[in-house]
Amino acid sequence: MSSNLKTIDITHENIKQEKQNWVKRDPLSRSQRPHERFISPYELTRDEMASALAAKTISPSLVSSVLAFIELILIFLSGKICLVFFGFEAQQSLTYASISFFSILLLYMICGQVLSIYSLHIVRDTPQQFMRMILSWLTAFGILYLVAKMFPNLNVFNDQWKAVWFLSVLFIISCLRLMVGKLVQQWTSDGLLERRAVIIGGGKEAEELISKLEGQKNNDIRICGIFDDRTDERSPQNVAGYPKLGTIPELLDFARSARLDMLIVSLPLTAGGRVREMLKKLWVLPVDIRLSAHSNKLAVGNQNYAYIGTMPFVKLADRPITGWRFIKKRLFDFVLSAFFLVLFLPLMLITALAIKLDSRGPVFFCQKRHGFNNEVINVWKFRSMYHDQRDEAAQVVVTKGDARVTRVGAFIRKTSLDELPQLWNVLKGELSLVGPRPHAVHAHLKNQPWNDVVDGYFARHRVKPGVTGWAQIHGLRGEIDNAEKIKKRTNYDLYYIENWSLSFDLYILAMTPFKLLDTKNAY
């Protein structure tokens, strides 16, 4: 063992503690890299590392989005409160006041985006974030002040109100920023706020990439290992202290067990064919995929670049529905699922009573299905089969006139009333109201799993599954008895993922009741 590596006592308790230290490692600290924290014959195996990384983290983009939202709300509320005490200078229409409020919020948001005041690497740097936040507020307020001076008819506020609002916003936002900065530091120290990444490709390119990443100030990337199909001297078992964990097929399994955020490709451009082949396999994962632009010296449009600190990377694939989009979709799901649960409660009680009177057994039926990133979730439905003939693993597809289905079960399956309990899954955050339908874990066609039937099938799981979806309103519901049906469903699901918007969700929800009238494939 090299003398510059930290050694530890090889005991069961010591090994256990070192593993816990690795899991909680602060990614910003170079002194706690894996090879310095845990060097022994009992290093983490690939499965152990995947298990250690299975714990949820806090999305940096989510923190940035929530911070921006809270700041805008506080600016708006502070202005309204100041109006109560200082009022208007003139008695013009409140329309001018509203325009002023929303204009300054828009200006501050634009300035904030330009100066990156919501990026966590700026939030971690207290002097930087305060300087940029003050500059953003000064610019937004200054523009509004100049417009008011140039057009006196629009100047509905007195100077005292302007001064108080300006100073109060500075005070409130400064306090918020101090608090958030402390929280971010604590979450980072606890390993909750980091972007987990693996390097694809070994050798000198990977070593140089790791060295530059670790040299970035306020770097939040936590390198979890290296994957490479090469087995010769170009891809050693250890690069810059990080272990080679396996091949690309093994990365797919690893990424579904661990909660990864990013795949970083460090292969040279001379391996373009290999990169394309890897992307065909890896694009199904709900992660960002980046190509190192620094080592390849690429010259592409700025819109195709993503930066980690000052390091440029080319965007090969983005995880769908993140940041603000994720918040909007989750709020949409939560509010509407709660509303629908209350609205349909009488209907659900009647359905439950009918099931109980029709046959013996529980009212509800729970089935394991694939959720986001292939995670197995328990999906709730009203029981539609005889209890002693239930098929929790979905080994046998329900067909027309299936003897296992009860009289009430046949009706609720045709009308999709059996799906109503899934609103509880939506409320819990396991499902969305709209998304690719969750299929049973053991779903198959002629003894062939659906992911073997359709190339890229698992790409459906890059977002949460839904109670209804784009495929369902195109008549693709019910029995799947041939490969063409599952291929069509997958194509519609992938289109939905790539083109998601709240208006798209609303349209699908609005069309769903009409499409339920078509029951030819529902039995």
Side-chain angles (χ1 to χ4, degrees):
M1 183 176 292
S2 176
S3 60
N4 66 334
L5 297 180
K6 177 183 174 183
T7 60
I8 60 175
D9 295 330
I10 305 175
T11 65
H12 176 74
E13 288 302 320
N14 189 268
I15 296 297
K16 182 179 179 180
Q17 183 60 48
E18 286 297 321
K19 289 180 179 181
Q20 291 175 349
N21 288 339
W22 185 88
V23 172
K24 293 184 177 181
R25 183 182 62 85
D26 182 346
L28 302 185
S29 174
R30 292 192 65 199
S31 65
Q32 292 184 331
R33 282 163 47 177
H35 68 293
E36 295 169 339
R37 293 293 296 159
F38 190 72
I39 295 297
S40 80
Y42 302 98
E43 286 186 353
L44 289 170
T45 65
R46 183 174 65 246
D47 290 342
E48 286 176 326
M49 193 172 294
S51 178
L53 295 170
K56 289 185 178 181
T57 58
I58 303 171
S59 167
S61 62
L62 183 60
V63 174
S64 299
S65 299
V66 171
L67 174 59
F69 179 75
I70 293 175
E71 274 196 352
L72 294 178
I73 291 295
L74 289 177
I75 292 172
F76 180 80
L77 290 178
S78 64
K80 286 292 187 180
I81 292 171
C82 288
L83 276 181
V84 174
F85 295 99
F86 300 100
F88 297 102
E89 183 178 72
Q91 297 300 317
Q92 285 97 333
S93 171
L94 286 174
T95 301
Y96 292 134
S98 299
I99 292 174
S100 298
F101 271 116
F102 287 108
S103 295
I104 202 166
L105 289 175
L106 180 61
L107 287 168
Y108 180 75
M109 186 169 61
I110 293 172
C111 292
Q113 291 295 327
V114 171
L115 295 174
S116 302
I117 64 174
Y118 300 114
S119 298
L120 288 196
H121 74 277
I122 298 296
V123 175
R124 289 189 180 99
D125 190 334
T126 303
Q128 274 285 334
Q129 75 159 327
F130 272 88
M131 180 181 70
R132 296 186 184 209
M133 180 269 292
I134 292 171
L135 182 58
S136 296
W137 181 236
L138 272 172
T139 303
F141 199 89
I143 291 174
L144 189 66
Y145 185 82
L146 287 175
V147 170
K149 289 295 183 183
M150 292 171 62
F151 302 96
N153 290 335
L154 301 180
N155 189 17
V156 298
F157 304 123
N158 58 50
D159 289 339
Q160 186 181 16
W161 174 86
K162 293 172 188 172
V164 173
W165 189 31
F166 176 79
L167 294 174
S168 64
V169 167
L170 279 183
F171 175 76
I172 292 169
I173 300 303
S174 295
C175 291
L176 173 67
R177 289 270 170 170
L178 279 175
M179 182 179 69
V180 172
K182 293 291 183 184
L183 279 175
V184 166
Q185 290 175 9
Q186 184 60 50
W187 289 337
T188 301
S189 178
D190 292 341
L192 295 174
L193 192 60
E194 60 188 11
R195 286 185 289 172
R196 296 168 175 173
V198 298
I199 307 295
I200 299 176
K204 292 182 179 180
E205 292 88 1
E207 186 172 6
E208 180 181 355
L209 174 63
I210 291 170
S211 175
K212 291 185 178 297
L213 275 174
E214 290 185 335
Q216 294 292 305
K217 185 178 180 182
N218 291 323
N219 167 43
D220 66 344
I221 297 294
R222 177 179 184 176
I223 299 171
C224 301
I226 296 168
F227 287 83
D228 196 345
D229 281 337
R230 297 175 297 182
T231 57
D232 53 25
E233 66 278 358
R234 294 174 300 170
S235 180
Q237 293 300 311
N238 188 290
V239 178
Y242 293 93
K244 179 180 175 181
L245 297 177
T247 61
I248 301 306
E250 289 168 331
L251 170 57
L252 288 170
D253 293 333
F254 180 83
R256 290 181 183 126
S257 300
R259 290 182 179 270
L260 296 180
D261 299 292
M262 186 182 299
L263 308 180
I264 301 177
V265 180
S266 69
L267 296 173
L269 280 182
T270 53
R274 287 182 56 223
V275 172
R276 285 191 295 271
E277 287 302 313
M278 283 191 302
L279 283 178
K280 288 180 182 179
K281 301 174 183 177
L282 298 175
W283 74 278
V284 302
L285 297 173
V287 296
D288 295 327
I289 304 178
R290 302 289 184 255
L291 173 66
S292 172
H294 180 84
S295 59
N296 283 304
K297 297 179 174 58
L298 296 175
V300 297
N302 288 334
Q303 68 274 14
N304 294 317
Y305 275 138
Y307 286 85
I308 299 174
T310 58
M311 287 188 66
F313 292 84
V314 177
K315 299 178 185 179
L316 298 181
D318 282 329
R319 175 175 170 173
I321 314 181
T322 58
W324 272 114
R325 290 157 61 85
F326 173 83
I327 294 174
K328 289 189 294 184
K329 186 167 177 62
R330 181 64 190 122
L331 286 174
F332 178 83
D333 287 337
F334 185 85
V335 172
L336 282 188
S337 62
F339 171 75
F340 288 144
L341 275 171
V342 174
L343 179 66
F344 295 131
L345 183 58
L347 181 58
M348 293 174 72
L349 290 174
I350 294 171
T351 303
L353 180 61
I355 292 170
K356 203 67 178 174
L357 293 174
D358 184 50
S359 61
R360 293 180 180 180
V363 168
F364 298 106
F365 173 71
C366 184
Q367 190 175 63
K368 293 189 180 301
R369 299 193 178 189
H370 277 129
F372 172 72
N373 195 27
N374 278 31
E375 292 178 353
V376 177
I377 59 174
N378 293 316
V379 173
W380 290 94
K381 302 178 70 174
F382 279 124
R383 179 175 59 85
S384 59
M385 293 184 180
Y386 291 103
H387 182 55
D388 59 350
Q389 298 183 53
R390 65 193 185 280
D391 185 9
E392 294 178 352
Q395 295 285 0
V396 181
V397 176
V398 176
T399 57
K400 190 172 184 179
D402 200 311
R404 298 172 298 166
V405 179
T406 65
R407 290 173 300 173
V408 170
F411 176 77
I412 63 176
R413 290 177 73 92
K414 276 188 174 292
T415 56
S416 290
L417 290 176
D418 62 324
E419 310 282 0
L420 286 178
Q422 290 175 27
L423 291 171
W424 176 246
N425 289 107
V426 178
L427 201 63
K428 290 169 61 181
E430 296 169 333
L431 297 181
S432 286
L433 284 173
V434 181
R437 285 290 294 146
H439 294 153
V441 172
H442 299 292
H444 62 276
L445 180 68
K446 298 178 181 178
N447 297 321
Q448 205 177 9
W450 283 350
N451 58 293
D452 289 342
V453 176
V454 181
D455 187 30
Y457 170 80
F458 282 134
R460 302 172 69 256
H461 302 156
R462 288 186 294 157
V463 299
K464 288 181 186 178
V467 178
T468 185
W470 187 230
Q472 281 62 48
I473 69 167
H474 282 85
L476 297 170
R477 57 188 289 250
E479 181 185 6
I480 296 178
D481 52 8
N482 60 65
E484 190 61 27
K485 284 185 178 180
I486 186 58
K487 287 178 181 178
K488 283 184 177 180
R489 285 195 185 192
T490 302
N491 288 336
Y492 277 113
D493 291 336
L494 296 182
Y495 177 86
Y496 167 80
I497 292 171
E498 296 300 325
N499 296 276
W500 176 84
S501 68
L502 277 186
S503 58
F504 199 5
D505 275 4
L506 282 169
Y507 174 76
I508 293 172
L509 281 177
M511 293 300 295
T512 295
F514 300 102
K515 295 301 179 178
L516 291 178
L517 298 174
D518 179 8
T519 61
K520 63 181 179 181
N521 292 320
Y523 32 80

